[in-house]
Amino acid sequence: MKKLLTLLPLVAATPALAATGPFISLGNTDFIVLLAFILFVLVLVYFKVPGMIGGMLDKRADTIKAELEEARALREEAQTILASYERKQQEVKDQAAQIVEHAKTEAAEAAEQAKIQIAESIKRRLAGAEEQIKSAEAAAIKDIRDTAIAAAIGASKEVIAKKMTATEANKLIDASIGEVEAKLH
């Protein structure tokens, strides 16, 4: 600082050399301005203004550093939260995909189960229809037999009635009664 003060009069004096008259005199305004400037600088140094300005600048720098650190911390926190939400979003997407796959699988299984049930229902209906057909066949066969038996009985009755005489009929009746008695006792 002292070197600066010694160089200052030399630099400040060069324009004053162009003025008329002696430089170091109270009549020279350049000299008075130089003295006032030097006095001003000395007063600033005496009252430690450069230190106060430096302290204020340091405080301001510390405040800016703190704000930058806080901004960095907030940015890192925001990135962490963003990453967390991205992970959650991915998990939700994966879960949705799993739900869709599960639903597709269940739908396919339900379709297969429905096919099986329809096939079983068709089999049951076919079996019922076959059973009805068999029953109808049996009824038709029975009706045909009954009709054939009735026709045979009717025909044999006529044949027997034409060929049989009264004595043969009485013998047949007696033989039938004897047979019935033997079976009842």
Side-chain angles (χ1 to χ4, degrees):
M1 187 80 177
K2 288 185 180 182
K3 290 181 183 180
L4 181 65
L5 289 177
T6 55
L7 290 176
L8 188 62
L10 293 175
V11 173
T14 46
L17 295 177
T20 55
F23 177 72
I24 302 177
S25 93
L26 291 177
N28 190 347
T29 56
D30 291 336
F31 180 69
I32 297 297
V33 169
L34 178 65
L35 284 179
F37 180 73
I38 291 172
L39 182 65
F40 176 72
V41 170
L42 289 176
V43 167
L44 288 178
V45 170
Y46 178 74
F47 286 112
K48 300 179 184 175
V49 173
M52 289 181 0
I53 290 173
M56 288 178 12
L57 289 174
D58 289 342
K59 272 187 190 177
R60 181 68 181 145
D62 290 342
T63 304
I64 290 171
K65 281 182 185 177
E67 288 175 356
L68 285 174
E69 287 298 321
E70 184 179 350
R72 275 192 204 110
L74 288 174
R75 180 175 175 246
E76 289 174 3
E77 183 179 346
Q79 285 178 338
T80 304
I81 291 171
L82 176 64
S84 170
Y85 281 121
E86 286 175 348
R87 277 193 307 274
K88 287 180 182 177
Q89 181 183 14
Q90 187 61 38
E91 289 173 3
V92 168
K93 282 182 181 178
D94 292 343
Q95 203 172 33
Q98 289 176 351
I99 289 171
V100 168
E101 283 299 316
H102 184 66
K104 285 180 181 178
T105 304
E106 284 184 355
E109 289 174 0
E112 286 297 319
Q113 193 68 23
K115 285 179 184 178
I116 292 170
Q117 289 175 351
I118 288 172
E120 289 175 358
S121 174
I122 290 171
K123 284 180 185 178
R124 282 193 305 269
R125 286 185 181 182
L126 285 176
E130 287 175 1
E131 206 48 50
Q132 286 178 349
I133 291 170
K134 286 180 183 178
S135 174
E137 282 178 358
I141 290 172
K142 183 180 181 237
D143 286 343
I144 291 171
R145 272 192 194 148
D146 289 344
T147 305
I149 289 173
I153 289 175
S156 53
K157 196 190 247 183
E158 283 182 29
V159 170
I160 291 176
K162 286 182 185 175
K163 289 186 177 183
M164 189 175 282
T165 60
T167 53
E168 288 178 359
N170 285 336
K171 279 185 190 176
L172 207 71
I173 290 172
D174 288 338
S176 294
I177 290 173
E179 198 176 310
V180 168
E181 278 182 3
K183 287 189 179 182
L184 287 178
H185 292 291

